[in-house]
Amino acid sequence: MPHFDPQTLQIVVAGVVGVTLLLQVILLFAILIGVRKAAMTVRDDINEIRDSVTPLVTEMRQLLVHIGPKIESTTDDLAVLTHSLREQTVSVQSTVTDISERARHQAGRVDFMLTTALDKVDHAGAIVNNSVAKPLRQVTGILAAIRAVVETLRARQAPVPKPPANGSKGDSGMFI
């Protein structure tokens, strides 16, 4: 093995370190170029996105500026309408309750009137029955009596039975 003097060894190490540094510089420069290309590509993509999104954002902003007051007005109108509907619902509910109570009251009155009228009709029927039926029965009885008298007078008089011959008195001696 050859023997190197320390100075030569230092020069060789310094040369290797220099070459390594030079390689690192070249590698870093290549990375720098790659990152710069990527950054330019990203910047171009961002610019394209910005160019396509900017009109959309502008139109949306204009639309919101234009529609904003209408939305607020519609919201206010809906709030007023909802409040009005609540008031009308309460009013209708109150009216329905009132009508229902009146209908119940009137139904009670009609029931009472019909019950009273039917009781009076029943009472009148009883009075008519007593007033007409009783005299009618009496008249029927009188007519039946007159008819019986007339029939009796019209009918021939039946022959008088003969007295029994053997000294027996009527049917009292007969044995059955």
Side-chain angles (χ1 to χ4, degrees):
M1 241 195 196
H3 188 310
F4 295 105
D5 84 57
Q7 223 178 12
T8 311
L9 193 57
Q10 283 180 351
I11 291 177
V12 171
V13 170
V16 170
V17 169
V19 170
T20 308
L21 284 176
L22 183 63
L23 284 174
Q24 279 183 343
V25 168
I26 293 171
L27 184 64
L28 284 175
F29 188 69
I31 291 173
L32 175 68
I33 292 173
V35 167
R36 183 178 273 175
K37 281 186 179 182
M40 292 180 108
T41 305
V42 168
R43 187 181 316 154
D44 290 342
D45 289 345
I46 289 174
N47 285 337
E48 282 180 33
I49 291 172
R50 185 182 315 153
D51 290 343
S52 63
V53 170
T54 301
L56 181 65
V57 169
T58 304
E59 289 176 15
M60 288 301 292
R61 183 178 297 140
Q62 289 174 353
L63 180 67
L64 288 176
V65 166
H66 181 69
I67 292 179
K70 292 179 182 179
I71 290 174
E72 288 178 11
S73 173
T74 303
T75 306
D76 292 341
D77 291 345
L78 284 174
V80 168
L81 180 64
T82 303
H83 182 70
S84 174
L85 284 175
R86 282 186 192 147
E87 289 177 354
Q88 289 178 4
T89 301
V90 168
S91 175
V92 166
Q93 188 175 15
S94 173
T95 303
V96 166
T97 302
D98 188 39
I99 289 171
S100 176
E101 288 176 10
R102 287 183 183 183
R104 277 193 215 110
H105 178 71
Q106 291 300 329
R109 286 185 62 207
V110 167
D111 181 49
F112 177 74
M113 289 174 16
L114 285 176
T115 302
T116 304
L118 290 175
D119 287 344
K120 288 182 180 181
V121 167
D122 188 38
H123 183 67
I127 290 174
V128 167
N129 189 23
N130 288 335
S131 299
V132 172
K134 191 174 181 181
L136 190 59
R137 282 191 301 251
Q138 291 173 351
V139 168
T140 304
I142 291 171
L143 288 175
I146 292 173
R147 187 168 139 205
V149 168
V150 169
E151 284 180 5
T152 304
L153 290 176
R154 273 178 134 189
R156 290 187 184 172
Q157 291 187 351
V160 178
K162 295 182 184 178
N166 291 339
S168 60
K169 295 186 178 178
D171 292 336
S172 59
M174 293 180 126
F175 179 72
I176 301 178

